[in-house]
Structures are given as structure tokens and as C-alpha cells.
Amino acid sequence: MNRRTLIAIAIATALTAPTLAWAQAAWPDKPVRMVIPFPPGGTLDKVGRMLAQRLQEQFGQTFVVENKPGGNGVIGGDAVAKAQADGYTLLFNASTFVTAPMTMKSVPYKVQTDFVPISLVAQAPLSIAIGNKLGVSDLKGLVAAAKTQPGKLNFAVGSIGSAGHLCTVRLEQAAGISLSIVPYKGTAPAFQDLIGGQIEGFIDPVLGSVQFHRGNQLRVAAVTSNKRLPNLPDVATASETIDGFTCASWYGLWAPARTSADIVGKLNAAVNKALAADMADKLVADGLVPGGGSPADFAKFQADDMAASGKVIADKKISVE
């Protein structure tokens, strides 16, 4: 290769380098799709839409929320796993994402290898909600009623392997009671049946039950946080009746595996910025605990939760029929 050719290559490289840098920095230059793999109307959907709005404001691009329910969250998760790893398709999901596959015979993706964690967004203490027809107002009364009717009180679960489901199982173990677990396709129909008297109880994130509790359509017997919540100050914690009893769901943001570290970093920084601003106040007002931290922090949190939840699922042989 002669000197003239080398000079030409050097000039071409110098001219194209700014263009390449600009192309990498341009993300996002078109709308971003955020998949929520459950129906609209629940806590997951509300928090996801709140986050999408904050990301849209920061990046100046539309973040389109797409509800893609079905298969206990698997349909939406699979759509993201198979999407291009270019930062334009994201998954916003609850802790069910990492636990539900442990209960299913076949899932077309692996949580640990087909997705990259971006950020923990929030943790959600749960409410132990009971129907008015049951005639009790607190956890002590619920436990007493369950002991007189073993296996007779119907408790909904929004999805198999969800935090609410695992918390219901843990409540049975901690209180020495037996409940009849009734699977539902999402939280909205479960609350409808609880209010209508078709079932007796439902354990789910606090945000979903607050309005119904305040409207006297049902009673929150206890919350599963380690201290009373600002938005439900009249409701005792479960640990006030059952020593040490706490549970929580959580919500996070993922991208397909092989998404660049640059894009993951930008999204993580944007989530943390949103949580440092007004979004944190809104989450706290709804009884949630803001998340945040690095992608590595979220990866460790996810792994720890999978280990703890996996033990409960294995011990009770929880599975989707």
C-alpha cells in the first residue's frame, strides 16, 4: 500500500468519524415502544405509563405504551425478546416476569440471557384486601375466619407466580390457615369480583385497592410493608398481627439482550433522573417505594428475588396447569 493510499484512508476515516459518532448519539431518533405484557388498568400499567411519559419528556421522542397481555405475561415478554436490540423496543414488567417462568412447563425465552436489566423502577407493598361480605375488618379477623372455614375462603391471584400469589401462600404458612386460590387474568377482574362478593380476598399492590378502600367497596385488612403507608394511615401492617411478615411486588425496565451498553446507560440515567424528580413523590403518594440505581444493582436485585421466590414455588409446587 503506497503513501498516497494511506493518506486517502486517513482522510476518509477522519471525515467519517464525526458521522459515526453522531449516528450513535442520535438514539432515539424515532418512537420507542414500551411493551407491558398485561391488560391496562392495573398498578403495573399505571406506573409504566407514568415512566413512559417521563422518558418521552427527557428524550424528546414518543414512548408508545403497548399492552400485550396473554400467557401470564409470556406473549409480551417473547415479543420483546425477539425484537431488534436497537433500543426501540423495551419491556416494562413486574416481578411476575422472573417468577412466572418457574411455574410454567415451557417459556420461549430465558430471563437471565435474553434480556438486559435497565433499572428497578419501584417496589410495591401489597394490600390484603377483603370483601365487605366477609364481615371482618382487619387481619386478625381474617385469620380467625379462615381458621373456622379451612379451604373455603376464595382468594384471587392476578397471575400464577406473581408477588401477590406468593404472598398469599406465605400468608397461609405464617398464619397457619388454608385458602382457596383462584387464578384471574389480571387485577381488574379480580377486584370486580371481590367488590361483587364472588370472592373473599385478593392480595395485590396497594395502588390497586386504595380507591376501593376509600370508597368502602372493600376493606384493606393490612398492608405488607414494614411500616404504615402515608396513603393508608388507618391500615395496620401485617407484621403488627404476624410478627415479621412483609411482602412486595416490584417493577422494572428491560431491553432485549445485546442492546448496547450506551443505550442501556442512557435509559438508566433517565429513569434515575425521573425518580429524583416528581415521579418519586407520585409513587410515594400511591404507596410505592421508588427504585433506581445502576443496571448492575438491578441485575443483583433480580437474581436475589429469583432465588427467594424460586424456593417458595418449589416448596409449594406452584405451577400453571
Side-chain angles (χ1 to χ4, degrees), residues 205-256:
V206 170
L207 181 56
S209 61
V210 168
Q211 58 180 323
F212 303 125
H213 173 83
R214 290 174 179 164
N216 296 316
Q217 294 169 281
L218 53 74
R219 175 70 185 172
V220 175
V223 292
T224 64
S225 49
N226 56 15
K227 60 182 179 180
R228 295 197 182 195
L229 299 174
N231 62 333
L232 283 173
D234 61 317
V235 177
T237 66
S239 61
E240 291 177 48
T241 300
I242 304 172
D243 188 46
F245 188 86
T246 61
C247 300
S249 179
W250 51 267
Y251 310 117
L253 187 66
W254 291 263

Side-chain angles (χ1 to χ4, degrees), residues 1-15:
M1 188 177 295
N2 59 37
R3 184 170 179 273
R4 182 175 298 175
T5 301
L6 289 172
I7 292 172
I9 291 172
I11 291 172
T13 301
L15 290 173

Side-chain angles (χ1 to χ4, degrees), residues 144-217:
K147 286 185 174 179
T148 62
Q149 306 172 66
K152 299 296 184 182
L153 301 187
N154 295 310
F155 264 62
V157 296
S159 59
I160 299 297
S162 65
H165 183 186
L166 300 184
C167 189
T168 304
V169 171
R170 289 185 55 214
L171 177 62
E172 289 182 296
Q173 295 171 332
I177 58 176
S178 175
L179 302 170
S180 174
I181 292 177
V182 184
Y184 276 76
K185 294 181 179 179
T187 60
F191 275 119
Q192 289 174 2
D193 278 4
L194 181 59
I195 292 168
Q198 282 76 41
I199 57 176
E200 283 72 44
F202 183 32
I203 300 179
D204 202 58
V206 170
L207 181 56
S209 61
V210 168
Q211 58 180 323
F212 303 125
H213 173 83
R214 290 174 179 164
N216 296 316
Q217 294 169 281

Side-chain angles (χ1 to χ4, degrees), residues 116-135:
V116 56
I118 296 172
S119 181
L120 175 67
V121 176
Q123 295 190 61
L126 309 179
S127 63
I128 303 175
I130 52 179
N132 291 332
K133 286 187 177 181
L134 190 58

Side-chain angles (χ1 to χ4, degrees), residues 270-311:
V271 172
N272 278 283
K273 184 177 179 180
L275 292 173
D278 70 312
M279 185 171 172
D281 293 336
K282 291 182 181 297
L283 291 173
V284 171
D286 285 332
L288 304 174
V289 179
S294 69
D297 293 334
F298 186 29
K300 183 180 185 306
F301 179 91
Q302 171 182 296
D304 290 346
D305 186 83
M306 290 180 75
S309 298
K311 186 177 186 307

